């Protein structure tokens, strides 16, 4: 029986306000639900993962704590807040501050909403409930709903734990409170469990893999992913002689490591590639710079990109494992044991911090490649790896701490060395955090 981390125990069934739960069934997304003259416009999601307490670009929500990654099972959520017309059909009266049947109902308390949900569930046969914050945030982040800037939305209904949300703020909402421009949506479980691969990721597992090793270009919409074949072999992972003078303790001891064949992307994932797959960009990325590496990406956001890319392409894309990353950065079987990826001269291969640099990422592939034809494995953007961070030879102490490799445009030359390692919470984002792909 799988473990669900953080505060979910049964994903969507934890949606809090009791409303219509219990005797009523799950929603059938293919069915049209009518209440009098009102048609319920419901948006469906298979569920997935969400970092509660963060904005779409990973910034902290005002008034919220960033909580551990949570799983959300399949659900539907109303495209718009409950209208005054629907409330009146169900409850027989309209308490709103400004009466207009097409506007959302407001001036209702959480207790009022409980009664509404109970009656709505009886009328439809579906256990409609309020979305909890994880579901609401998942729906916002995945574009299912678009909250109005002038409204607050009630997300939970558990006594003093009620909250009202906007995209960027969170406030407590007492059980009996009523307020203008404070609205709510309805949700219901579809009975579809969040895909097991996603659940497995959050328990420290990895995505399923395919063993492919050919140079290939894979098209997804307007994006092309240039994948480079990397023939496997044995190599010394860690600080070799050329690294020793500058190496940190976690680059030791040198470890003889076997690598199987795999593929890795020639460049870091770009703004254009992210946009083609995800449909929108994280904060701090701009369409006028399509060839820059996408940044402000958490490890979890990179995983969501990978999962969507797998669906679109039919190929088992993933993040590289740290050992694969270092093997490729060192040039694989063609390695010349350089200090940086492709040269002993950092300026030849790495966009990094210098006296006159602006500390911002540049277009990918703007400097020289390494022995395998890979660009920017030193500098430009830090690159997430699949692994949880640990000292060589030990199991990771915290599966939520992930590995970053390669240094960035904001890093000094020491961080751009091929054996240098960095550890960071998987929820963190920064204007220098990006990633590349593997198969």
């Amino acid at each position: 029986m799988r473990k669900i981390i953080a505060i979910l125990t049964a994903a969507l069934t934890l949606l809090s306000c009791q409303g219509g739960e219990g005797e009523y069934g799950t929603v059938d997304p293919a069915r049209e639900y009518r209440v009098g003259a009102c048609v319920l416009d419901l948006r469906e999601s298979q569920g997935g993962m969400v970092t509660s307490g963060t904005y779409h670009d990973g910034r902290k929500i005002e008034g919220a704590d960033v909580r551990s990654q949570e799983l959300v099972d399949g659900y539907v959520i109303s495209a718009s807040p409950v209208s005054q017309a629907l409330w009146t059909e169900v409850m027989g009266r309209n308490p709103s501050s400004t009466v207009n049947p097409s506007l959302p109902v407001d001036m209702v308390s959480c207790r009022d909403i409980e009664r509404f949900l109970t009656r709505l569930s009886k009328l439809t046969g579906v256990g409609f409930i309020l979305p909890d914050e994880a579901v609401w945030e998942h729906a916002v982040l995945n574009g299912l709903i678009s909250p109005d800037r002038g409204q607050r939305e009630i997300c939970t209904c558990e006594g003093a734990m009620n909250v009202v949300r906007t995209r960027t703020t969170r406030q407590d909402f007492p059980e009996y409170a009523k307020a203008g421009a404070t609205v709510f949506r309805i949700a219901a479980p579809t009975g579809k469990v969040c895909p097991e691969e996603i659940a497995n990721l959050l328990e420290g597992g990895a995505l399923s893999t395919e063993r492919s090793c050919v140079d290939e270009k894979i098209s997804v919409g307007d994006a092309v992913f240039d994948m480079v074949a990397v023939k496997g072999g044995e190599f010394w992972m860690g600080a070799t002689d050329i690294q020793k003078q500058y190496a940190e303790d976690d680059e030791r001891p040198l470890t003889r490591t076997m690598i199987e064949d795999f593929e890795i992307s020639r460049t870091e994932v770009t703004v254009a590639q992210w946009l083609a797959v995800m449909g929108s960009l994280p904060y701090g990325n701009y369409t006028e710079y399509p060839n820059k590496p996408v940044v402000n990406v958490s490890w979890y956001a990179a995983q969501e990109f990978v999962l969507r890319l797998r669906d679109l392409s039919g190929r088992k894309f993933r993040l590289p494992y740290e050992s694969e990353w270092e093997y490729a950065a060192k040039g694989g079987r063609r390695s010349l044991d350089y200090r940086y990826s492709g040269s002993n001269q950092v300026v030849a291969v790495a966009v990094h911090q210098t006296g006159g640099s602006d500390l911002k990422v540049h277009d990918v592939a703007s400097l020289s490649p390494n022995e395998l034809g890979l660009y920017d494995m030193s500098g430009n953007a830090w690159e997430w790896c699949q692994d949880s961070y640990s000292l060589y030879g030990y199991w990771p102490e915290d599966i939520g701490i992930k590995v970053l490799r390669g240094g960035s445009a904001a890093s000094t030359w020491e961080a751009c060395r091929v054996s240098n390692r960095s550890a960071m919470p998987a929820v963190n984002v920064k204007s220098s955090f990006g990633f590349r792909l593997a198969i």
Side-chain angles (χ1 to χ4, degrees):
M1 184 174 183
R2 76 179 189 187
K3 296 183 296 180
I4 302 300
I5 65 173
I7 57 175
L8 291 189
T9 57
L12 188 66
T13 56
L14 202 150
L15 292 168
S16 43
C17 192
Q18 295 300 309
E21 289 187 82
E23 60 186 291
Y24 302 108
T26 57
V27 71
D28 176 2
R31 177 182 161 192
E32 183 179 90
Y33 291 89
R34 285 182 173 272
V35 179
C38 299
V39 178
L40 306 186
D41 183 4
L42 304 173
R43 304 288 171 83
E44 181 185 9
S45 173
Q46 71 168 358
M49 56 185 175
V50 61
T51 307
S52 292
T54 61
Y55 190 42
H56 69 86
D57 62 2
R59 289 179 295 173
K60 184 177 177 294
I61 299 295
E62 181 183 337
D65 293 325
V66 178
R67 301 194 299 275
S68 298
Q69 198 77 7
E70 301 180 35
L71 292 181
V72 176
D73 282 346
Y75 64 91
V76 293
I77 189 168
S78 56
S80 302
V82 169
S83 68
Q84 295 179 27
L86 178 58
W87 182 278
T88 303
E89 288 280 6
V90 174
M91 303 298 288
R93 62 182 183 85
N94 186 355
S96 300
S97 55
T98 299
V99 176
N100 183 332
S102 63
L103 293 178
V105 65
D106 64 3
M107 298 303 295
V108 293
S109 70
C110 231
R111 284 298 181 95
D112 295 332
I113 294 170
E114 287 182 19
R115 289 188 284 269
F116 169 84
L117 291 170
T118 298
R119 293 185 187 184
L120 179 65
S121 297
K122 186 174 182 180
L123 289 169
T124 60
V126 171
F128 283 110
I129 43 187
L130 272 176
D132 95 330
E133 285 189 272
V135 169
W136 189 88
E137 287 177 350
H138 186 270
V140 170
L141 293 171
N142 287 278
L144 271 70
I145 61 174
S146 183
D148 189 287
R149 290 181 180 273
Q151 296 172 348
R152 304 184 304 167
E153 299 195 14
I154 305 171
C155 289
T156 62
C157 194
E158 294 182 346
M161 295 302 293
N162 303 337
V163 297
V164 287
R165 287 294 311 272
T166 68
R167 283 179 178 268
T168 58
T169 64
R170 178 185 190 272
Q171 293 176 304
D172 292 339
F173 191 68
E175 188 175 11
Y176 292 99
K178 300 180 182 183
T182 301
V183 301
F184 72 98
R185 297 174 193 263
I186 58 174
T190 61
K192 300 175 183 177
V193 176
C194 179
E196 188 63 30
E197 281 204 320
I198 298 177
N200 185 46
L201 275 175
L202 301 191
E203 295 170 1
L207 295 172
S208 58
T209 62
E210 62 177 274
R211 282 299 171 188
S212 180
C213 188
V214 294
D215 291 334
E216 57 180 327
K217 290 180 170 62
I218 302 172
S219 296
V220 176
D222 295 331
V224 176
F225 296 90
D226 186 358
M227 305 301 293
V228 176
V230 182
K231 288 289 185 183
E234 281 190 308
F235 83 113
W236 287 107
M237 187 170 182
T240 55
D241 287 343
I242 198 168
Q243 307 286 339
K244 282 182 178 179
Q245 182 179 353
Y246 311 102
E248 303 290 340
D249 289 343
D250 64 353
E251 299 172 44
R252 303 182 177 94
L254 267 179
T255 304
R256 195 68 175 166
T257 305
M258 173 64 75
I259 301 295
E260 296 184 19
D261 295 353
F262 68 104
E263 296 176 20
I264 194 166
S265 58
R266 192 174 299 278
T267 69
E268 295 156 334
V269 171
T270 66
V271 166
Q273 290 170 332
W274 180 282
L275 187 61
V277 172
M278 303 298 283
S280 62
L281 291 172
Y283 173 81
N285 297 272
Y286 305 99
T287 55
E288 55 263 46
Y289 302 112
N291 295 319
K292 286 189 175 184
V294 68
V295 291
N296 283 317
V297 175
S298 70
W299 183 89
Y300 290 119
Q303 296 293 346
E304 294 211 58
F305 176 91
V306 164
L307 289 166
R308 190 167 298 183
L309 181 58
R310 287 162 75 101
D311 287 341
L312 292 172
S313 67
R315 300 296 298 275
K316 292 186 176 180
F317 284 98
R318 56 183 174 82
L319 297 183
Y321 291 103
E322 184 182 17
S323 57
E324 292 174 331
W325 188 97
E326 186 172 318
Y327 179 71
K330 287 181 172 178
R333 292 184 180 183
R334 302 176 187 173
S335 177
L336 298 176
D337 196 25
Y338 290 129
R339 178 172 294 151
Y340 312 101
S341 186
S343 178
N344 285 328
Q345 304 302 315
V346 67
V347 295
V349 293
V351 177
H352 69 293
Q353 180 187 142
T354 62
S357 67
D358 59 9
L359 309 185
K360 296 179 180 179
V361 294
H362 293 195
D363 283 358
V364 299
S366 58
L367 296 176
S368 298
N370 76 351
E371 300 95 313
L372 295 173
L374 306 176
Y375 292 88
D376 299 311
M377 295 200 79
S378 287
N380 217 8
W382 283 103
E383 299 179 17
W384 290 108
C385 294
Q386 182 65 38
D387 316 53
S388 297
Y389 176 85
S390 65
L391 298 177
Y392 291 151
Y394 293 88
W395 290 105
E397 294 182 0
D398 184 346
I399 63 172
I401 304 297
K402 303 299 181 182
V403 176
L404 284 162
R405 297 298 298 261
S408 75
S411 301
T412 58
W413 60 267
E414 297 100 319
C416 298
R417 295 177 300 102
V418 287
S419 63
N420 182 63
R421 310 175 71 210
S422 185
M424 193 66 59
V427 299
N428 280 25
V429 299
K430 198 173 181 180
S431 60
S432 58
F433 289 2
F435 66 105
R436 75 177 65 223
L437 298 166
I439 291 179

